Amino acid sequence: DQQVKQNSPSLSVQEGRISILNCDYTNSMFDYFLWYKKYPAEGPTFLISISSIKDKNEDGRFTVFLNKSAKHLSLHIVPSQPGDSAVYFCAASPLFSGGYNKLIFGAGTRLAVHP
Amino acid sequence: DTEVTQTPKHLVMGMTNKKSLKCEQHMGHRAMYWYKQKAKKPPELMFVYSYEKLSINESVPSRFSPECPNSSLLNLHLHALQPEDSALYLCASSQADTNYGYTFGSGTRLTVV
């Protein structure tokens, strides 16, 4: 049973336009949400995160929106650049109780930004 | 140093072999993780170490044996693997006292023949 779902395996966007990647989750105990980016032959790198007490977090071209009632989050990239082409993973973590984080990952969305 | 280093990058092993994957970090992180990722699937948690003690084993078969010899090192010992164990094995680390994300290594691509 997938607790974190990314229903779009791929997305193609023109350079300069907005990329919107979506993620849904089922576990209401999730407290913290993250987006990771992964290039081929590399490990995932942290991109942006949001706590469940917020509904929006912005970092430069990247904005994450959280809708707790819908159990949905999205990542907006504006403007999209060819270097953004990668696989994007959504991840969720339950309430932190110390010692370690247990991240649950979605299956990923492959973003292709073309000129 | 803000990296997690995994060696080797690629490994091909037979089903009767014994091999080890190594992970090292010098960021002072006291939580370390092993994930397994198959093609077009999300990373799946295998083991978690917190302060050098095994905190989570996600019902991983005993042919995978983790070890955390000190706060900077994490090993994964492999023995009698099956071809279906072929995957990308990712190591990650995080702070143990805050709810921040992980720093991942670049992974070891394992092929079992």
Side-chain angles (χ1 to χ4, degrees):
Chain A
D1 179 30
Q2 272 192 288
Q3 298 184 65
V4 178
K5 300 178 185 179
Q6 293 177 256
N7 292 320
S8 298
S10 64
L11 176 67
S12 182
V13 171
Q14 192 170 20
E15 181 178 6
R17 308 292 285 265
I18 184 170
S19 296
I20 300 176
L21 295 92
N22 293 304
C23 178
D24 297 295
Y25 62 96
T26 57
N27 190 339
S28 57
M29 299 302 292
F30 286 146
D31 182 64
Y32 196 65
F33 303 89
L34 308 93
W35 286 93
Y36 282 82
K37 179 168 75 171
K38 186 179 186 299
Y39 294 117
E42 294 182 13
T45 55
F46 170 74
L47 194 56
I48 192 169
S49 63
I50 187 167
S51 165
S52 62
I53 62 172
K54 296 187 174 183
D55 55 17
K56 176 182 174 181
N57 188 27
E58 194 171 350
D59 183 2
R61 297 187 296 115
F62 303 91
T63 303
V64 56
F65 295 92
L66 175 63
N67 182 333
K68 287 193 294 293
S69 61
K71 295 190 175 69
H72 177 84
L73 62 155
S74 61
L75 174 68
H76 293 210
I77 306 174
V78 183
S80 301
Q81 299 173 354
D84 296 328
S85 298
V87 177
Y88 289 78
F89 290 99
C90 171
S93 172
L95 185 65
F96 183 67
S97 57
Y100 58 84
N101 290 321
K102 182 175 177 179
L103 292 187
I104 310 298
F105 286 85
T109 296
R110 183 175 301 278
L111 173 66
V113 180
H114 53 89
Chain B
D1 188 351
T2 58
E3 286 188 345
V4 174
T5 303
Q6 286 188 246
T7 54
K9 291 196 181 305
H10 300 273
L11 178 63
V12 179
M13 63 183 291
M15 289 189 282
T16 58
N17 290 159
K18 284 185 180 181
K19 296 286 185 183
S20 296
L21 309 185
K22 182 179 173 182
C23 174
E24 191 168 5
Q25 58 88 13
H26 296 285
M27 295 176 281
H29 290 173
R30 301 303 295 275
M32 297 186 77
Y33 311 80
W34 282 114
Y35 276 80
K36 173 182 176 179
Q37 186 181 18
K38 304 207 79 163
K40 300 189 190 309
K41 297 287 188 182
E44 294 181 356
L45 183 64
M46 299 175 71
F47 302 105
V48 179
Y49 274 83
S50 177
Y51 295 99
E52 296 86 68
K53 292 194 187 320
L54 184 65
S55 298
I56 294 181
N57 175 342
E58 292 285 21
S59 302
V60 179
S62 60
R63 57 186 184 268
F64 295 91
S65 175
E67 179 196 21
C68 189
N70 60 55
S71 60
S72 300
L73 277 176
L74 184 66
N75 298 320
L76 186 62
H77 303 298
L78 315 172
H79 174 54
L81 294 194
Q82 303 297 311
E84 58 265 28
D85 296 321
S86 299
L88 179 68
Y89 288 84
L90 292 163
C91 173
S93 69
S94 72
Q95 296 176 10
D97 56 354
T98 56
N99 189 10
Y100 295 148
Y102 302 162
T103 300
F104 278 96
S106 57
T108 294
R109 175 72 61 189
L110 174 67
T111 303
V112 182
V113 297

